[in-house]
Amino acid sequence: MEFSLTEKQKMLKKITRQFAEEYIVPIARESDEKQELDDKVFQKMKEMNYFGGCIPEEYGGAGLHNDTIGFSIIIEEISRADAAWGITTAVHNGVAAYPIYKYGTEEQKQKFLIDLAKGNKIGAFCLTEANAGSDAGGVQLTAVKDGDEYILNGTKIFATSGGIAGTLLVVAKTGEKESRKQMTVFIVDNKTPGYSVGVKEDKMGVRASNTSELVFQDVRVPQENILGNPGEGFKMAMKILDFGRIGIAAQCVGLGQAALEASIKYANERVQFNQPIGRFQAIQWKIADMSCAIESARLFTFKAAYLHDIGSEFGIASSMAKLVASEAAMQAAHGAVQIHGGYGLMKAYPVERYFRDAKMGEIYEGTSEIQRLVIAANLLKKGA
Ligand code: CAA
């Protein structure tokens, strides 16, 4: 077993940290307040090829499609600066661009992947509906075949980057067989007539990341835009989420790391009872527990990434990573606010934002309860 990063991975960490410290950290609070991602950072992200993170170089990407540990490192470092940029980059790569690379036809790759890799278009994954949250099988948005096209009707909600996305992976109901819904995943361009962005959500955390309602009214999509096979969309969506959850885990590791570092700095500086509060055991134990939680979350994330890259079954590992990392980030953010005391409640200190951001990780791309369900169901199915 090898615990050290490759030279390339170490370099990715160093470069991304420098980039994030220089461009993202200084405006993270402002972006949170404005509920908008900064344009200058956006342009820089494009130049640095972060939107092409897990896309092969032949499609204009950074070539980390077979180095998910490297990809996780990028997401961790970006999220350490601002979890809103972390989720935007993770979702774009993990549940939009990468699935087109992995399951798409060559024609689809030429048509959609190159623009996604360059960041000319942002990607979104549209599964959730008013009646299909944890119960992904409850999708009601329909796609009805009409000649060589499908006509999509319905509404998606809570789509990360939905309002800024140019390329959408849309999970639609395409029929019913033996009383079970048949679903299909479509690649939809945002310029398609009948498609519109609805309500932009006003969220608790990762506020700079766009979360929107998306409306499909007689949206005609050519059948060559089907990702995978018609009728197999539910399993496709599950496989997409298996990979996507590694990115969310990495996002949570970065956020938790930021909360830990802020706590260490504050504990060394803040003097009460004539000494830095870091000398008190009550603070030391919190810092020790936070660092153990973050480090185990990082190892879980790298393990899931590693299993993916060697072509092994990684679904359970990605659910474990997402579960452990999101709860570690919450623990770290909670501890960080507590260590900062009254200052931790103030917007002048980033830990206030970390606390709100951390809660999101336990919800999106499958709640902690769903991760436990996936892990247990798989283990029980396999047997002792
Ligand atoms: N890979 C391949 N196949 C899978 C699979 C996987 N990971 N998981 C399940 N399947 C298959 C099953 O084997 C089964 O196949 P058969 O019919 O051949 O037996 C089929 O899919 C149905 O499986 P289940 O009976 O287990 O399905 P279910 O209805 O009980 O649901 C669930 C299972 C795990 C709860 C699923 O609904 C789920 O993951 N829910 C959470 C959804 C989620 O994460 N939503 C977040 C959306 S994205 C988001 O947050 C916003 C964003 O913008 C990023």
Side-chain angles (χ1 to χ4, degrees), residues 75-77 79-81 249-259 298:
I75 300 297
E76 178 185 332
E77 289 302 326
S79 307
R80 178 179 165 275
Q251 185 229 1
C252 295
V253 172
L255 172 55
Q257 179 69 31
R298 186 176 287 114

